[in-house]
Amino acid sequence: MSPIELPENIASLNAYSSAKSEKLTGTTWLNANESPYSRRVSLNFDALNRYPDPQPEAVINAYANFCGLNQEQVLMTRGADEGIELLVRTYCTPGQDSIALFLPTYGMYKVTADTHNIGITALEQALLQQGTAKEIADAVGSAKLVFICNPNNPTGATVSTDKIAAIAAALKNRALVVVDEAYIEFCEQLTAVSLLSDFDNLVVLRTLSKAFALAGLRTGFTLASPEVLAPVRKVIAPYPVSAVVAQIAQEALTPDAITQMRRQVSILNKAKEKLTEILGGSDKIAKVMIGEGNFITVQVRHTADIEQAMQSGLIMRPFTLFEENNWLRISIGSEQELEQVRRWLTQPQAEQ
């Protein structure tokens, strides 16, 4: 019981349940879409007695070069999650405005909106995939922010840059279209970054957590026009980026490190192709969702088989999708980790 009365939106809030918030015991971890590649870094701790640069210039310049943007179009944040929260805080009035999202999708959009007493226009992924830009704009209504996870977590579905451009055009002067590109390095050709010069109501969210293998660093970037970012810069904490984080991020964005990242992405994409084929031929799997990202989401015929995997130490991410609780998201890990998935698929089916 709180010592003082909580706001109604907080009292009734269902917090986001991350993969790591679940206290699980296992030996093979394929539940959080983490990279299997670890990084070794060298650090200089000489200046930890000083406050860090709020937006470290070397990192901002490196990421701007990586994306082909200007420095003024880049804001460094504590993961892409802080970018989501900053946009909601900056552009939405509590108790009055709403955001739009396309379900099923990343859960933090809803949690952030609920936390700030912002309404939610819940639309379906089918509308995003199959609807016209006008149909989508009509369905969005008066929402101030429209979140498009591309590739989408957990389905892997993607949206073409042409369609994102059409949606942004249809929502001009009405809403910000926020494209969450947490997994875009696995399909770089689909990035909406090139559209930022054409649409001042477009925002792109990025992270170093996935392809860059730095989930533990909690580093992200919000990419948009200087005009969109200006009010966000007023809202962000005064020192959001620690000196240690800035050092590691700068090292991760050197040309050699980017080349290494892309090499690792290529390996993981090939591993995903092989695992997709194996899953498609398994009697335990009813459906395999085809999409992009370093994960595969499947429908398992019997939930007992999911329990069998978890009890053996193979930790994957169960989901309830489309009102069915037999869905499972499998991160693309190392060859040794994926071998554990293959072994699970060849085990006798668990008793129902």
Side-chain angles (χ1 to χ4, degrees):
M1 179 74 68
S2 173
I4 62 172
E5 185 177 356
L6 290 171
E8 183 179 346
N9 62 306
I10 300 300
S12 61
L13 179 68
N14 290 320
Y16 177 68
S17 178
S18 68
K20 289 302 178 72
S21 66
E22 301 171 10
K23 303 302 182 182
L24 302 172
T25 301
T27 55
T28 302
W29 296 89
L30 298 176
N31 64 330
N33 296 346
E34 298 158 326
S35 171
Y37 298 102
S38 60
R39 284 184 173 273
R40 292 186 177 182
V41 297
S42 57
L43 297 174
N44 181 343
F45 294 102
D46 291 345
L48 289 184
N49 58 314
R50 305 297 182 187
Y51 284 109
D53 186 343
Q55 289 292 301
E57 186 175 3
V59 181
I60 297 297
N61 283 336
Y63 203 79
N65 289 335
F66 172 64
C67 294
L69 298 175
N70 297 321
Q71 183 178 357
E72 296 77 16
Q73 295 173 285
V74 180
L75 181 72
M76 189 174 181
T77 60
R78 289 166 288 197
D81 288 345
E82 186 180 30
I84 296 167
E85 198 261 349
L86 286 169
L87 290 168
V88 170
R89 284 174 56 199
T90 302
Y91 284 101
C92 295
T93 301
Q96 176 179 318
D97 290 327
S98 64
I99 68 168
L101 45 82
F102 301 89
L103 300 173
T105 194
Y106 182 42
M108 274 305 296
Y109 311 138
K110 181 181 187 305
V111 169
T112 302
D114 289 342
T115 301
H116 293 283
N117 195 22
I118 303 301
I120 296 172
T121 300
L123 307 172
E124 295 184 357
Q125 276 287 318
L127 173 64
L128 179 61
Q129 296 296 317
Q130 302 164 18
T132 65
K134 183 181 184 307
E135 289 170 338
I136 292 169
D138 289 346
V140 161
S142 60
K144 295 286 288 293
L145 304 176
V146 180
F147 285 94
I148 299 175
C149 191
N150 192 40
N152 186 51
N153 175 18
T155 65
T158 60
V159 183
S160 71
T161 53
D162 286 346
K163 188 159 193 177
I164 289 174
I167 293 170
L171 291 171
K172 184 177 178 61
N173 299 323
R174 285 178 48 191
L176 288 181
V177 178
V178 184
V179 185
D180 186 343
E181 295 189 343
Y183 301 93
I184 202 64
E185 290 83 9
F186 296 94
C187 50
E188 285 187 305
Q189 73 281 4
L190 293 177
T191 180
V193 163
S194 62
L195 302 176
L196 290 175
S197 60
D198 299 322
F199 299 97
D200 59 6
N201 64 327
L202 186 66
V203 181
V204 174
L205 299 177
R206 291 284 190 88
T207 182
L208 298 187
S209 295
K210 309 302 181 182
F212 280 89
L214 287 171
L217 199 64
R218 304 309 303 128
T219 297
F221 298 90
T222 300
L223 313 176
S225 71
E227 293 75 20
V228 167
L229 290 182
V232 180
R233 294 182 191 277
K234 297 179 182 180
V235 174
I236 194 170
Y239 299 105
V241 182
S242 78
V244 174
V245 166
Q247 281 189 45
I248 298 172
Q250 183 179 347
E251 187 174 311
L253 292 167
T254 62
D256 286 348
I258 290 172
T259 298
Q260 181 184 39
M261 177 273 291
R262 286 178 169 143
R263 185 181 305 118
Q264 292 170 352
V265 164
S266 178
I267 293 170
L268 293 173
N269 279 341
K270 290 177 181 176
K272 179 177 178 176
E273 290 177 9
K274 293 180 182 178
L275 183 60
T276 299
E277 183 177 350
I278 292 168
L279 289 165
S282 171
D283 290 339
K284 290 187 177 181
I285 305 302
K287 182 176 181 179
V288 179
M289 285 190 171
I290 304 301
E292 302 291 346
N294 64 333
F295 59 89
I296 305 173
T297 298
V298 299
Q299 187 176 32
V300 180
R301 294 189 189 280
H302 305 292
T303 55
D305 286 320
I306 298 176
E307 292 299 321
Q308 178 191 65
M310 305 286 268
Q311 290 171 7
S312 72
L314 173 57
I315 308 301
M316 299 172 284
R317 188 76 188 273
F319 274 97
T320 296
L321 295 179
F322 313 112
E323 300 182 352
E324 296 176 301
N325 67 348
N326 59 338
W327 289 89
L328 190 66
R329 193 190 66 197
I330 308 170
S331 304
I332 305 302
S334 66
E335 180 63 30
Q336 293 77 13
E337 289 169 331
L338 295 181
E339 178 59 30
Q340 299 304 310
V341 179
R342 298 185 190 100
R343 290 181 182 178
W344 165 64
L345 292 172
T346 58
Q347 290 174 355
Q349 288 193 347
E351 293 185 6
Q352 307 306 307

